[in-house]
């Protein structure tokens, strides 16, 4: 038996290129569909885990997918906006903890997420360095955001205009970085977290400027009507919040009228969640409430359907490749007819010669399967990280 | 042989990949909950209510320095971080403690104690506001914020504090309810004292040294004039002139001060036949006594004025 193995091994070693091509081809035929399934399953796990960790989302009626993707992954277009009154309304029911989100602006490529401190507790976010934001104009960076923006505690990041054509838009706000979060391998790593009120400053709804009642502000005054001063656009707003000017930052109108993109509702128990959902069932209700898992499951259903087509295509290609490999083996036997005759003449029985040839094929297939297995193991091991990177991008 | 060594290398790679450990877990953001409910407040009256209602089950912290006016005090980042770690943060509402607007606090732990009495808040007049452009929304003029000087509003605030405590300490529900009844009794008695004195005073004009007595004046329908004199600042000619204008219309004989005025100020008022009494809003922690004691002292001051009015 050792002689058969030796001859088969020597043949394969001598014809390295042919062996490598055959092993590589068969390995890929086995590996690709399996790896695709591993990656898709891992993607589904990642997407689902974020959705499962978010009990309910409330937002203005519109695309549920946009609302879910914007609120869970801070990606997709900004959904229809609602107002902070919705967060207050949910909190007032005492059925759920209400966590407002305002995901609309960016600091370069990174999403600025306006929220409350409850979000940090809700997502169990931990600090790698620094502390949580305490005052207007402070921000906390996710781990990836800190890398990409090249900023750390003590540094600063600047909000970006919504559009390059927004000439009359608000001034960018320079925000002070007071904390950097540990990696979570979720969308939180990409975010620039700010207080909701800071997000409204980014939008220009809350702002600070010189005292319009002061004599030096006279050129910026359009009119005085009783106790009201109407200022014109020449009034320069502060683009950075400092201890010297923070007292000048003020709100116009009620906070409940200020915009948010969604509310994460964390019901106190299952019954509370059901009652809360029931409150949004009225046909004239302008808000929608959704379970993120339902939306993500629908999305995954689509992904799995596409995956099945891809796998079916791969299997067809695989069969064709296997047929080609078989042809290679058969043609190889014809080319090696003289070699086979030589082995017979020097005393090799037909069984022994057949054994050598079968062993060569078996070793090639065996090596292919082992390598495919190794690659699959590696894929499974690193799939979470790869998928997280892909999802975050 | 080369193929065999490649295979061994891949095997080593797998072993290395499978054997990797994640980073060591670190401490979470939130600190461990203390044994007692940690309550932070933005004013001393709320701290007093929380202490009386919560009893031994709560630890009440009001971190403003005693020499600061909590309405205009700005805590540093460290103090705000301490507020963030509280189980419950009691706000006065009505725009009291402006720093709250500019700070990041956990909204689920904030309780506005005047939220249920919003229709009873008094809007400030005479403050300058502005809008941006003819169609811009006007900045709100703001509210008078010394709500607890109306004991009936103080009762509403105490009820809000009790409700917040009861929801967080369900096992202490009966005790909190019992203590709320006692506190309401005290506040009702205080209200009765104020009302009786105010009835005796009637339409007699009173001067108030600070514009913080709106709820007190409104509750007891006093003929009050609020000026802006500091107890530790001697009035200048302009201030005395403004006082003169008021006295031309209403010959007030009493000025109520938030703190003990300077001797020179007392003398200047004596010259105008105006007597000084201290009526403390007690927004910050008093040196030795508690809030109710200070309020009862205020009632005594008002009763002194009433007695003088009757004998006049």
């Amino acid at each position: 038996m050792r002689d058969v193995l030796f001859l088969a091994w020597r043949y394969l070693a001598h014809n390295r290129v042919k062996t490598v091509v055959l092993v590589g081809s068969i390995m890929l035929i086995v590996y690709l569909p399996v790896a695709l399934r591993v990656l898709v399953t891992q993607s589904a796990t990642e997407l689902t885990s974020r959705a499962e960790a978010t009990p309910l989302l409330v937002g203005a009626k519109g695309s549920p997918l946009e609302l879910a993707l914007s609120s869970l992954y801070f990606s997709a277009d900004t959904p229809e906006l609602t107002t902070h009154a919705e967060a207050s309304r949910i909190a007032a029911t005492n059925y759920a903890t209400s966590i407002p989100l305002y995901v609309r602006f960016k600091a370069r490529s990174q999403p600025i997420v306006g929220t409350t401190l409850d979000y940090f507790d809700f997502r169990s976010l931990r600090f790698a360095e620094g502390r949580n934001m305490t005052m207007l104009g402070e921000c906390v960076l996710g781990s990836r955001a800190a890398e990409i923006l090249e900023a750390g505690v003590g540094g600063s990041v600047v909000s970006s205009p919504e559009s390059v054509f927004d000439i009359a838009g608000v001034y960018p706000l320079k925000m002070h970085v007071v904390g950097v979060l540990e990696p979570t391998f979720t969308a939180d790593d990409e975010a620039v977290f700010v207080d909701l009120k800071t997000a409204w400053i980014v939008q220009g709804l809350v702002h600070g400027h010189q005292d319009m009642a002061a004599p030096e502000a006279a050129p910026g005054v359009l009119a005085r009507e009783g106790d009201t001063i109407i200022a014109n656009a020449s009034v320069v707003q502060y683009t950075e919040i400092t201890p010297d000017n923070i007292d000048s930052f003020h709100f116009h109108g009620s906070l409940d009228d200020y915009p948010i993109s969604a509310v994460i509702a964390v019901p106190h128990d299952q019954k509370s969640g059901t009652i809360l959902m029931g409150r949004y069932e009225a046909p004239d209700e302008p808000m929608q409430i959704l379970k993120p898992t339902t939306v993500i499951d629908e999305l995954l259903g689509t992904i799995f359907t596409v995956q099945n087509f891809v796998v079916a295509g791969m299997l067809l290609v695989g069969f064709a490749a296997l047929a080609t490999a078989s042809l290679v083996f058969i043609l190889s036997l014809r080319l090696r007819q003289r070699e086979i005759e030589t082995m017979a003449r020097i005393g090799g029985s037909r069984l022994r010669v057949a054994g050598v040839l079968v062993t060569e094929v078996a070793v090639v297939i065996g090596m292919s399967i082992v390598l495919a297995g190794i690659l699959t193991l590696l894929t499974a091991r690193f799939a979470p990280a790869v998928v997280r990177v892909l999802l975050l991008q | 042989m080369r193929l065999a060594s490649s295979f061994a290398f891949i095997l080593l790679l797998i072993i290395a990949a499978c054997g990797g450990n994640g980073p060591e877990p670190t401490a979470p953001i939130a600190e461990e909950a203390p044994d007692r409910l940690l309550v932070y407040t933005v004013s001393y009256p709320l701290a007093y209510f929380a202490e009386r209602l919560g009893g031994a089950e709560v630890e009440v912290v009001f971190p403003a320095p005693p020499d600061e006016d909590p309405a205009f005090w700005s805590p540093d980042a460290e103090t705000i971080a301490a507020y963030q770690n509280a189980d419950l943060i009691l706000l006065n509402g009505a725009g009291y403690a402006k720093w709250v607007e500019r700070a990041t606090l956990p909204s689920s732990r904030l309780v506005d104690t005047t939220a249920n009495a919003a229709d009873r808040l008094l809007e400030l007049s005479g403050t300058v506001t502005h809008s941006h452009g003819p169609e811009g929304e006007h900045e709100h003029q703001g509210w008078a914020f010394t709500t607890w000087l109306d004991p009936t509003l103080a009762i509403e605030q105490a009820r809000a504090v009790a409700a917040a405590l009861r929801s967080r300490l369900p096992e202490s529900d009966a005790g909190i309810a019992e203590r709320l009844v006692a506190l309401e009794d005290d506040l009702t008695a205080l209200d009765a004292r104020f009302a009786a004195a105010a009835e005796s005073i009637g339409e007699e004009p009173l001067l108030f040294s600070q514009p913080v007595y709106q709820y007190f004046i409104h509750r007891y329908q006093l003929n009050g004039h609020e000026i802006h004199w500091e107890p530790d600042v001697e009035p200048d000619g302009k201030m005395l002139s403004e006082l003169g204008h008021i006295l031309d219309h209403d010959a007030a004989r009493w000025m109520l001060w938030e703190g003990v005025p300077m001797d020179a100020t007392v003398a200047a008022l004596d010259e105008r036949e105006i007597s000084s009494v201290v009526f403390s809003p007690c927004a910050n922690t008093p040196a030795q006594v508690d809030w109710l004691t200070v309020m009862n002292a205020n009632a005594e001051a008002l009763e002194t004025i009433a007695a003088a009015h009757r004998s006049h």
Side-chain angles (χ1 to χ4, degrees):
Chain A
M1 191 60 194
R2 287 186 63 182
D3 52 341
V4 170
L5 280 172
F6 177 76
L7 284 175
W9 177 250
R10 290 310 309 159
Y11 175 81
L12 292 173
H14 182 71
N15 297 282
R16 279 177 208 149
V17 175
K18 177 186 154 191
T19 305
V20 168
V21 169
L22 277 171
V23 168
S25 306
I26 296 169
M27 179 198 72
L28 286 176
I29 291 164
V30 176
Y31 168 70
L32 284 179
V34 178
L36 180 67
R37 186 162 287 276
V38 167
L39 283 171
V40 170
T41 307
Q42 188 59 43
S43 302
T45 306
E46 291 293 326
L47 283 167
T48 311
S49 63
R50 183 86 169 165
E52 282 172 351
T54 312
L56 292 170
L57 279 175
V58 178
K61 270 190 177 158
S63 162
L65 188 60
E66 263 183 14
L67 178 63
L69 292 181
S70 163
S71 308
L72 299 181
Y73 309 107
F74 315 136
S75 58
D77 292 336
T78 306
E80 292 291 320
L81 297 178
T82 179
T83 63
H84 189 253
E86 200 52 41
S88 304
R89 174 188 169 190
I90 293 167
T93 63
N94 283 327
Y95 290 129
T97 301
S98 166
I99 306 173
L101 290 176
Y102 194 24
V103 186
R104 176 173 172 179
F105 303 100
K106 287 183 184 291
R108 276 157 55 187
S109 58
Q110 305 312 114
I112 294 173
V113 178
T115 186
T116 63
L117 292 182
D118 297 318
Y119 186 86
F120 292 80
D121 293 339
F122 171 62
R123 295 279 189 220
S124 302
L125 301 177
R126 300 157 191 262
F127 280 87
E129 57 173 324
R131 58 165 172 81
N132 216 324
M133 54 226 180
T134 57
M135 297 299 285
L136 293 179
E138 293 181 343
C139 67
V140 168
L141 302 181
S143 57
R144 281 276 296 157
E147 283 173 27
I148 293 167
L149 297 172
E150 295 172 340
V153 174
S156 60
V157 297
V158 179
S159 65
S160 306
E162 276 192 290
S163 159
V164 290
F165 304 110
D166 190 16
I167 297 168
V170 294
Y171 296 98
L173 180 72
K174 186 177 178 183
M175 297 172 285
H176 304 284
V177 180
V178 295
V180 176
L181 299 171
E182 284 186 359
T184 59
F185 304 105
T186 68
D188 294 329
D189 291 350
E190 298 287 319
V192 176
F193 290 101
V194 297
D195 186 287
L196 210 48
K197 289 173 275 191
T198 302
W200 291 329
I201 293 175
V202 170
Q203 192 178 352
L205 297 176
V206 181
H207 53 224
H209 51 68
Q210 65 191 122
D211 180 6
M212 298 314 298
E216 57 270 22
V221 174
L222 271 182
R224 289 177 190 269
E225 295 170 2
D227 292 335
T228 300
I229 294 173
I230 300 172
N232 64 28
S234 72
V235 178
V236 177
Q237 294 178 20
Y238 299 125
T239 55
E240 181 181 0
I241 301 170
T242 64
D244 293 333
N245 67 22
I246 191 167
D247 288 344
S248 77
F249 278 79
H250 55 272
F251 298 81
H252 285 251
S254 165
L255 284 193
D256 271 352
D257 297 333
Y258 282 55
I260 56 172
S261 54
V263 183
I264 296 175
V266 188
H268 302 315
D269 50 49
Q270 196 175 359
K271 184 183 170 189
S272 300
T274 308
I275 296 171
L276 189 65
M277 289 190 79
R279 295 208 169 180
Y280 288 85
E281 291 299 318
D284 56 345
E285 171 61 52
M287 297 293 144
Q288 61 173 328
I289 189 166
L290 54 89
K291 284 184 175 173
T293 45
T294 310
V295 178
I296 298 302
D297 283 349
E298 283 175 14
L299 177 67
L300 289 176
T302 310
I303 292 174
F304 278 122
T305 307
V306 173
Q307 180 215 230
N308 288 337
F309 285 120
V310 173
V311 169
M314 280 184 176
L315 286 175
L316 282 175
V317 173
F319 281 126
L322 277 176
T324 308
S326 305
L327 190 64
V328 167
F329 283 123
I330 292 164
L331 289 174
S332 170
L333 286 179
R334 287 198 175 181
L335 287 171
R336 294 170 64 190
Q337 198 58 45
R338 287 179 61 193
E339 180 191 333
I340 292 166
E341 284 172 5
T342 303
M343 282 195 282
R345 281 177 188 165
I346 62 176
S349 66
R350 288 173 66 89
L351 194 64
R352 280 277 205 234
V353 172
V356 170
L357 298 174
V358 169
T359 303
E360 286 171 14
V361 175
V363 167
V364 167
I365 293 174
M367 283 172 65
S368 304
I369 291 172
V370 168
L371 281 176
I374 291 168
L375 281 178
T376 304
L377 278 173
L378 287 173
T379 305
R381 173 71 177 83
F382 293 110
V386 171
V387 166
R388 283 165 191 160
V389 170
L390 291 174
L391 283 177
L392 291 178
Q393 286 174 350
Chain B
M1 195 60 204
R2 212 173 291 166
L3 207 63
S5 35
S6 301
F7 186 73
F9 174 74
I10 290 169
L11 271 177
L12 280 172
L13 194 68
I14 296 168
I15 292 164
C18 296
N21 287 326
E24 290 293 316
T26 54
I29 290 170
E31 289 178 9
E32 278 185 34
D35 294 338
R36 298 194 295 166
L37 191 80
L38 184 59
V39 180
Y40 268 65
T41 73
V42 298
S43 71
Y44 170 65
L46 291 176
Y48 174 77
F49 296 163
E51 274 171 358
R52 273 198 62 172
L53 294 167
E57 283 87 16
V58 301
E59 181 185 347
V60 181
V61 181
F62 171 52
D67 57 342
E68 290 270 5
D69 182 348
F72 303 103
W73 170 61
S74 286
D76 56 19
E78 199 178 321
T79 309
I80 294 173
Y83 271 94
Q84 290 176 344
N85 287 328
D87 298 310
L88 178 64
I89 302 169
L90 297 174
L91 306 180
N92 186 72
Y96 189 83
K98 272 282 184 190
W99 67 267
V100 171
E101 257 186 10
R102 299 187 286 268
T104 300
L105 296 173
S107 51
S108 64
R109 282 173 264 161
L110 295 176
V111 172
D112 178 353
T113 56
T114 51
N116 289 333
D119 56 336
R120 295 181 57 192
L121 298 182
L122 301 176
E123 199 165 349
L124 289 174
S125 58
T127 52
V128 175
T129 65
H130 69 272
S131 67
H132 296 260
E135 303 301 321
E137 191 162 4
H138 291 209
E139 185 185 2
H140 202 281
Q141 292 197 359
W143 306 96
F145 50 64
T146 325
T147 49
W148 59 89
L149 289 185
D150 175 348
T152 60
L153 265 176
I155 288 174
E156 293 293 337
Q157 291 186 274
R159 286 175 181 163
V161 174
L165 293 177
R166 289 167 83 167
S167 69
R168 285 159 179 83
L169 295 168
E171 67 282 2
S172 306
D173 189 82
I176 294 169
E178 196 177 312
R179 291 190 283 269
L180 176 62
V181 170
L183 180 57
E184 283 188 19
D185 287 347
D186 287 343
L187 292 170
T188 305
L190 180 68
D191 182 50
R193 282 187 76 181
F194 281 149
E199 195 177 347
S200 296
I201 293 168
E203 287 298 311
E204 178 172 346
L206 298 176
L207 297 170
F208 291 86
S209 68
Q210 290 283 325
V212 294
Y213 294 92
Q214 299 92 338
Y215 289 98
F216 183 73
I217 294 168
H218 180 263
R219 166 68 183 156
Y220 302 108
Q221 298 296 301
L222 296 169
N223 182 15
H225 296 275
E226 292 182 308
I227 54 177
H228 201 148
W229 286 22
E230 297 294 341
D232 54 353
V233 177
E234 196 174 345
D236 56 20
K238 189 182 171 194
M239 292 160 75
L240 289 169
S241 168
E242 284 171 358
L243 177 65
H245 286 303
I246 294 172
L247 295 177
D248 287 343
H249 298 286
D250 267 331
R253 295 186 301 122
W254 295 90
M255 182 180 283
L256 289 80
W257 289 87
E258 63 173 346
V260 180
M262 295 172 70
D263 291 343
T265 309
V266 174
L269 290 172
D270 281 345
E271 282 176 20
R272 290 162 179 78
E273 296 182 344
I274 297 172
S275 303
S276 297
V277 292
V278 174
F279 189 106
S280 171
C282 199
N284 209 333
T285 316
Q288 289 168 335
V289 293
D290 64 15
W291 182 82
L292 193 63
T293 309
V294 174
M295 286 297 127
N296 280 319
N298 290 339
E300 277 174 31
L302 204 64
E303 284 160 356
T304 304
I305 297 172
H309 178 77
R310 282 193 295 268
S311 63
H312 187 63

